[in-house]
Amino acid sequence: MTQLSNISISQNLPSTRTTVIFTCFLLFFSILFLQNYPSSNTFLSTASALTSQLISYSNSVINPSSPNNTKTCDIFDGRWVYDDSYPIYAPGSCSYVENEFNCFRNSRPDFGYLKYRWQPYGCDLPRFDAKKMMEMLKGKTLVFVGDSLNRNMCQSLACFLKMFKPKSSRSGALYSYDFKDYNCSIKLIIAPFLVQHRYLSKKKERLRLDIMEPIISKYHDADFLIFNTGHWWNHNKSQNGENFFQEGDVVHSKMDVGLAYTKALKTWANWVDNNVNKSKTQVVFRGFSNTHFMGGDWNTGGICDGEKEPIKDEKFLTPYPWLMQTLETVISEMKTPVSYLNITKLTDYRKDGHPSIYRRPGKPRRGIIQDCSHWCLPGVPDSWNELMYVSLLQSLEGSNRTS
């Protein structure tokens, strides 16, 4: 998967000097020949064609746009394009999509939000191939760990794979999707903070910044671990940092949420470095997914209904979240290779993709609390899995070369 640092296209391309020299050489002798043989239409046509081909090749080297070379472009930098062949699975067709994400069945009347495909600059993403993905997961376990945005992504992947029509089932409170024909499973562990969150009483909670959520240790040897955290690190859900954050036996009467988030990420990083077998397990961290509450926050009247198109102009995007800057610093200091799905910018464009008032069955009602943080399915999380699919293909090719 694309690592923390961006990969330059130009460093993998041949020098343009030879091409330019040959182009100039041919132009010079073409002009010289035509001055002496002005009636040679055949030569003129041939010279013109060859010159055009060389100039075209020269430009393609200087301004590369290799359509399939995903290894040499940043697949997270691009734009959304309208594509009539989308969505990949039909709206309302997947029983694994829960009501709160099932905008089609919740009577959303417009369908444009289903038709957008993520297009990186400089390369094309291969279309998701459910059969090939099933082959990659054969005999393996993939575990999502995080908040309800990872639940969004987990259900999207389960629907992708269900298209291949293997024998599949969902069981248990922990969202376990089993594909018996391929002896593989996809699981979801709900751990919004990644570190241990305890309810001591109806009015009292604690977040242990120095201990991972215990259930995560059960899956330390999974073949794929897909982590995320972010949306619960706000002043409301962290009780404004007052008597909420704990380290050892010390409960901090007041701690900045940003500092607590950094400590929790370092606890996660240490756990990964000390408990995950890097020769077996691929560790992924999916970045922050942007919200689009307008006119207020989620609990103060913020809305996003009526949005039918993505943001088109980059200047209207929000500033890069501090949470991701902190995450990138922590990942860069780890011993274990971590693949970073940086979906922050691509989600920022998609103000049209949220459930908004279409978050439950029945007639939609304005005036209710709107959901402008999760995503409709089919929808934006499908692109996260397409990006992960490309990254897994690249990893597979790399392991084949070194084996």
Side-chain angles (χ1 to χ4, degrees), residues 21-63:
I21 291 173
F22 273 112
T23 303
C24 294
F25 183 87
L26 182 57
L27 282 170
F28 174 79
F29 279 96
S30 297
I31 295 169
L32 184 64
F33 187 93
L34 289 171
Q35 285 177 338
N36 292 288
Y37 302 96
S39 62
S40 180
N41 292 330
T42 301
F43 182 84
L44 177 62
S45 299
T46 303
S48 176
L50 288 171
T51 302
S52 297
Q53 289 176 16
L54 277 171
I55 291 173
S56 176
Y57 175 72
S58 176
N59 287 338
S60 73
V61 174
I62 296 170
N63 302 299

Side-chain angles (χ1 to χ4, degrees), residues 261-274:
Y261 172 76
T262 303
K263 286 177 176 287
L265 277 185
K266 288 184 176 180
T267 296
W268 164 80
N270 288 332
W271 180 86
V272 169
D273 281 341
N274 293 321

